[in-house]
Amino acid sequence: MNKRSRKYVYSPFKVAFHQERLDALRNGDLPLPVLVQWDLTNRCNMDCVHCFYHIFELSDWNPKAEMPTNLVYRTLDELKELDVKAIEWTGGGSIECHPDYKEILRYSKKLGFENALVTNSTLLDEEALRIIRDFSWVRFSIDAATRETYRKVHRVDLFDKAVVNVKRLLDVRSERNVVGYSFIVSPANYTEIHTAAFFARNLGCDNVRFSLAMTPKREKLFDGIWDETVREIEKAKKLENGVFRVFAFSNRINELALKTLSDYCGYHHFVGVIAPTGVYPCCRLKDDGRFNLGKLGSQSFKEIWFGEKRRKFIKSISKGCKFDCWMYSKNKFIEYLLSENPMHKNFI
């Protein structure tokens, strides 16, 4: 993979490569998703201070919920038949807490999906590293640059183990595997933003991704520390070079403050979300019972995707979504692509 390709791993414009699904939307049809984000289990070996699922009272959230392996296999078969292109294995909990996660990842690869993994890395073993070495990307949730801060954020003492597994994957990964270092910014770790970027670059990661913790305090969580947080991110950006990228979402503070609500949502047409408790419109609404579109096992994915509950949801947000969302720029781009004969399109 060349340097230019790696530059765009977090591009908001990827939807432009899925013209057949854009055409379906333009014609008033419902396209099938390109990507499915999938939580195999809600069980986790961490106790993170910024954990969305611990902080918010979500009616469907069950910390012990887990998908049966045979149901996972059946659903993977169905998704392949439906021409879903990629699976992002994420959480929820930590995927490695599912007893059959390695067999499931192997099966997904066998079916020919593009695969990606979000992991805290601490439970990966040599066998798992061999399985994920040729994934499209792997993002490690570290959220710190030092052992002390890692303990403060994750409330476990596993920093050394997490870092060792990052190094081990970097040693064995295929050429096309993009390895990222994830850092959710909160009052517990904001002073290490620049240090973490430097640390990730020295490890050999391709990128570091900074995002802001989402809590009921919203933007007030960063009262008194926002200016320093921005300065830290600006310092981190200076560490970019031809092979290392720093991704940060500068407008996220507005999103947390509900100042950038999308007046159109197209993202949910391209990405499906599966959790142990059901299928949801997007990751922002996952495990909220009001938006549970149906439970796999009782219905097929296709029945849920084209079902009455999802159609009612689509109608409910036809004039905009009331939830703060970090897909704002993607939604604006999708809306533009769907517009009929926009003016001045030749004035590039």
Side-chain angles (χ1 to χ4, degrees):
M1 179 183 295
N2 61 41
K3 295 176 184 178
R4 193 174 186 85
S5 296
R6 290 182 184 273
K7 180 179 180 181
Y8 298 111
V9 295
Y10 286 123
S11 169
F13 309 123
K14 297 174 188 176
V15 69
F17 289 97
H18 300 283
Q19 190 61 51
E20 73 288 352
R21 283 160 165 93
L22 287 166
D23 289 342
L25 272 179
R26 194 177 289 110
N27 294 332
D29 298 325
L30 295 182
L32 285 154
V34 176
L35 166 70
V36 166
Q37 298 171 334
W38 200 329
D39 299 359
L40 284 182
T41 180
N42 289 344
R43 293 193 295 124
C44 190
N45 65 325
M46 299 276 172
D47 185 24
C48 305
V49 295
H50 56 247
C51 180
F52 180 87
Y53 304 99
H54 290 173
I55 293 170
F56 286 88
E57 294 183 0
L58 300 169
S59 56
D60 282 1
W61 175 251
N62 176 355
K64 296 181 180 179
E66 192 162 85
M67 290 195 72
T69 302
N70 61 347
L71 177 58
V72 175
Y73 287 153
R74 288 205 311 272
T75 305
L76 280 170
D77 288 337
E78 182 190 4
L79 295 179
K80 189 63 181 177
E81 290 178 7
L82 295 175
D83 197 32
V84 169
K85 306 293 186 184
I87 309 290
E88 177 186 338
W89 302 101
T90 182
S94 173
I95 184 177
E96 298 92 339
C97 289
H98 192 289
D100 297 319
Y101 84 96
K102 285 183 276 194
E103 289 74 16
I104 289 168
L105 296 184
R106 280 198 191 94
Y107 191 67
S108 183
K109 288 174 63 173
K110 180 181 177 181
L111 290 176
F113 289 108
E114 286 189 66
N115 289 278
L117 174 66
V118 180
T119 174
N120 65 45
S121 95
T122 59
L123 297 175
L124 294 174
D125 58 20
E126 291 287 352
E127 183 184 6
L129 291 167
R130 287 195 299 272
I131 295 169
I132 67 174
R133 67 177 296 275
D134 57 355
F135 274 21
S136 295
W137 55 266
V138 177
R139 187 163 69 238
F140 292 100
S141 302
I142 309 296
D143 310 307
T146 63
R147 185 178 178 184
E148 179 183 3
T149 298
Y150 186 93
R151 274 201 309 262
K152 190 190 306 182
V153 172
H154 294 280
R155 295 193 277 218
V156 293
D157 190 8
L158 294 172
F159 178 71
D160 294 341
K161 190 168 187 179
V163 171
V164 164
N165 279 334
V166 176
K167 292 178 179 177
R168 289 162 73 197
L169 180 62
L170 288 166
D171 286 341
V172 302
R173 65 170 171 163
S174 67
E175 182 183 357
R176 290 189 61 81
N177 183 297
V178 175
V179 174
Y181 194 103
S182 178
F183 191 111
I184 296 179
V185 181
S186 72
N189 62 7
Y190 74 99
T191 59
E192 285 192 2
I193 289 173
H194 172 261
T195 309
F198 186 80
F199 185 68
R201 189 181 72 171
N202 281 0
L203 281 176
C205 295
D206 297 295
N207 61 72
V208 61
R209 178 181 184 265
F210 294 105
S211 55
L212 302 181
M214 179 179 287
T215 75
K217 291 183 178 180
R218 300 189 182 279
E219 80 281 7
K220 291 185 174 19
L221 183 70
F222 298 92
D223 282 355
I225 65 171
W226 181 244
D227 289 343
E228 186 174 351
T229 298
V230 171
R231 284 194 295 270
E232 282 281 312
I233 288 175
E234 288 172 349
K235 283 171 59 182
K237 289 286 286 182
K238 293 178 181 178
L239 295 173
E240 289 189 326
N241 54 35
V243 295
F244 179 73
R245 298 276 293 166
V246 176
F247 296 98
F249 303 97
S250 58
N251 68 330
R252 183 76 189 278
I253 198 73
N254 287 330
E255 289 159 4
L256 291 176
L258 298 179
K259 292 180 181 177
T260 54
L261 295 179
S262 293
D263 53 12
Y264 169 80
C265 178
Y267 180 80
H268 70 89
H269 289 292
F270 296 86
V271 181
V273 174
I274 296 175
T277 49
V279 175
Y280 297 86
C282 67
C283 60
R284 173 64 180 87
L285 304 179
K286 185 170 57 177
D287 286 302
D288 186 329
R290 294 173 296 173
F291 305 102
N292 190 329
L293 304 177
K295 190 170 177 61
L296 290 168
S298 301
Q299 296 175 278
S300 69
F301 183 87
K302 185 176 181 180
E303 288 171 336
I304 294 170
W305 190 257
F306 293 112
E308 185 62 25
K309 284 187 177 180
R310 183 163 182 266
R311 291 178 184 275
K312 285 182 179 179
F313 169 79
I314 293 170
K315 184 177 180 180
S316 74
I317 61 165
S318 60
K319 295 182 180 179
C321 182
K322 65 180 181 179
F323 291 92
D324 42 332
C325 175
W326 47 93
M327 300 303 172
Y328 180 79
S329 60
K330 294 184 181 182
N331 281 324
K332 297 302 289 184
F333 183 59
I334 294 169
E335 184 178 28
Y336 177 76
L337 290 177
L338 293 175
S339 59
E340 293 186 14
N341 196 27
M343 292 177 63
H344 298 179
K345 60 181 178 290
N346 295 325
F347 291 87
I348 296 172

